[in-house]
Amino acid sequence: MKRNTALVLLLLQLTAISCKKDDKKPVQNQQNVPSDSIKTAAKTEDEVDFKNFNIFNVSTVQRNELMDSFISVSDIYTDPKSVPEDLLKKQKELPFDKLSYFELDEQYRQKMLTGIHITENDSLYLYNYGANKLQKFPVRQLKAVAYLSPYVSEGEEIDAGSYMLGFQMDSQKSMNIFDKYANAIAYFGNKNPFVENKMKMIKWEKASTDVQKKYFFGSKLRYGGTYQAKYDNLTYYVQDLLEEYGTHERKLVVINDRNEKIFEKIFSMDDGAEFNPLERMENDEAHYYAQWTGHLFKGKAPVVFGFISPSFGCPVITFLDKDKTVLNINCDNRH
């Protein structure tokens, strides 16, 4: 059976965070969390409603030996009739390249828009937090497309679930496009949800043994490195906890300027996930493996992410408050 080698999905993970265990709510000491202990981004008239709020990464797909980039919405759009039925019925008669990629016609475009609760009058807000670059694109100008999953081989039976559906950003570009969206996230709606110029790549420094004794005592695991960093009025401490083959857990504690512990969370590996290094890797110009923190969303507390690279599932953003603990980044990971 001939494999589909022309289509390779390269998911641009958001500097990789956690997998299933990252979805757990952080453990918080409610008695030690003052109501004003974390600075929240100022509320504005443009504050976004976070009910049914979805963000996405940007993926790259190889097609005809060049690269396309697109935003898949298939994590939230799962209609079993999302692609033309005639195409599925005639799949044995069509060339594989015709099945691998096509533009949705008006009927199926509108069906997708309805399924993800947006309209032609909404916009795509694409924010590169690493470069502090915000772009806005009218939805009506975006091309609605379908790409066949790279895990589907030529000759296999194809159904609607075999396709990644979404909006094309770039068509037939060079391999260099991979880095363009390394630190970008996307949102569809009628208001910009992002706070600009408030995200910071965390630069960790070694912390003293006193920090380890004060905040990370009592573990049965072997102690590894202890690190610290600052953002606004917050100090972050991280402790690596080791087993025989390396880091098994990574614990984060956040302290405010009154020396009160206002947040803590344990990151653990699961299903092939890996811990990202706490120091920048050589030749990592796009900072794929860095940790980031700061005010990312209007009217919300600071966020932190980038501790774990998931093999299954999608990256997770953690909010440093108890109102919105985690937010998944939809990435259409089909491992």
Side-chain angles (χ1 to χ4, degrees):
M1 183 180 294
K2 184 178 178 182
R3 280 278 171 185
N4 172 18
T5 58
L7 180 63
V8 178
L9 174 65
L10 301 173
L11 287 173
L12 289 176
Q13 297 176 345
L14 181 64
T15 56
I17 314 174
S18 86
C19 199
K20 292 182 180 178
K21 290 195 177 180
D22 233 354
D23 292 340
K24 293 184 178 180
K25 293 186 177 181
V27 179
Q28 296 189 9
N29 185 339
Q30 301 294 342
Q31 295 179 349
N32 294 328
V33 183
S35 60
D36 61 345
S37 59
I38 302 177
K39 292 181 180 179
T40 301
K43 296 182 181 295
T44 69
E45 293 181 358
D46 293 329
E47 185 180 352
V48 174
D49 183 1
F50 278 82
K51 294 179 181 178
N52 300 316
F53 184 81
N54 289 287
I55 58 173
F56 306 84
N57 77 340
V58 183
S59 303
T60 55
V61 176
Q62 185 173 333
R63 181 169 64 90
N64 300 330
E65 299 183 358
L66 291 171
M67 304 300 294
D68 291 356
S69 66
F70 84 112
I71 298 169
S72 173
V73 299
S74 291
D75 284 344
I76 65 170
Y77 180 52
T78 57
D79 191 326
K81 296 183 178 180
S82 57
V83 297
E85 293 186 30
D86 287 348
L87 179 140
L88 298 177
K89 291 177 180 178
K90 297 178 180 179
Q91 60 182 274
K92 301 300 182 183
E93 306 168 16
L94 297 173
F96 192 61
D97 62 333
K98 298 293 184 183
L99 293 170
S100 297
Y101 163 79
F102 56 88
E103 181 177 2
L104 297 181
D105 63 23
E106 185 63 20
Q107 175 186 349
Y108 285 91
R109 174 190 177 90
Q110 293 304 318
K111 193 173 185 180
M112 183 175 72
L113 293 182
T114 300
I116 62 176
H117 307 292
I118 66 173
T119 72
E120 298 284 11
N121 294 324
D122 286 325
S123 296
L124 161 64
Y125 295 91
L126 183 66
Y127 184 49
N128 186 318
Y129 51 86
N132 187 37
K133 182 179 181 181
L134 177 67
Q135 295 175 280
K136 179 181 177 181
F137 305 90
V139 168
R140 62 180 176 274
Q141 295 180 7
L142 299 177
K143 188 175 182 179
V145 294
Y147 290 94
L148 194 62
S149 166
Y151 297 101
V152 175
S153 300
E154 184 172 352
E156 289 185 10
E157 189 71 19
I158 294 171
D159 59 23
S162 304
Y163 284 96
M164 304 174 291
L165 303 173
F167 298 95
Q168 189 177 83
M169 299 300 298
D170 301 281
S171 177
Q172 299 297 272
K173 302 294 183 180
S174 71
M175 290 288 183
N176 294 335
I177 199 173
F178 186 80
D179 292 339
K180 181 178 179 180
Y181 301 105
N183 298 312
I185 50 177
Y187 168 77
F188 296 95
N190 58 11
K191 293 180 180 179
N192 168 33
F194 301 113
V195 177
E196 296 180 63
N197 203 30
K198 290 293 184 179
M199 290 297 294
K200 175 183 177 182
M201 186 176 67
I202 301 177
K203 296 182 179 180
W204 298 101
E205 298 178 352
K206 291 289 183 67
S208 68
T209 55
D210 291 340
V211 170
Q212 183 183 103
K213 294 176 182 178
K214 184 174 183 179
Y215 297 113
F216 303 109
F217 60 88
S219 176
K220 295 181 180 179
L221 298 172
R222 183 162 52 91
Y223 283 82
T226 310
Y227 304 88
Q228 65 183 27
K230 287 191 67 67
Y231 176 83
D232 277 358
N233 67 324
L234 303 177
T235 301
Y236 300 65
Y237 295 114
V238 163
Q239 176 67 57
D240 278 347
L241 299 168
L242 314 178
E243 283 192 331
E244 181 180 359
Y245 298 105
T247 303
H248 181 69
E249 291 182 352
R250 179 170 284 166
K251 186 172 182 179
L252 169 69
V253 169
V254 181
I255 309 299
N256 66 11
D257 52 5
R258 295 192 294 273
N259 204 32
E260 299 163 322
K261 181 168 66 173
I262 50 86
F263 185 88
E264 63 180 339
K265 180 171 183 174
I266 295 176
F267 298 92
S268 301
M269 291 193 298
D270 191 23
D271 291 335
E274 296 182 352
F275 283 109
N276 291 325
L278 295 178
E279 298 178 3
R280 182 174 178 270
M281 298 178 66
E282 292 184 9
N283 302 319
D284 182 21
E285 295 181 1
H287 307 299
Y288 291 117
Y289 304 104
Q291 293 76 48
W292 295 83
T293 191
H295 292 283
L296 184 56
F297 299 104
K298 293 178 180 178
K300 294 296 179 181
V303 301
V304 66
F305 52 82
F307 291 102
I308 289 181
S309 294
S311 293
F312 303 95
C314 295
V316 172
I317 292 174
T318 298
F319 288 78
L320 300 183
D321 69 7
K322 58 185 178 181
D323 297 323
K324 183 69 176 180
T325 305
V326 294
L327 178 65
N328 290 307
I329 303 166
N330 294 292
C331 69
D332 200 353
N333 186 350
R334 302 199 177 203
H335 283 186

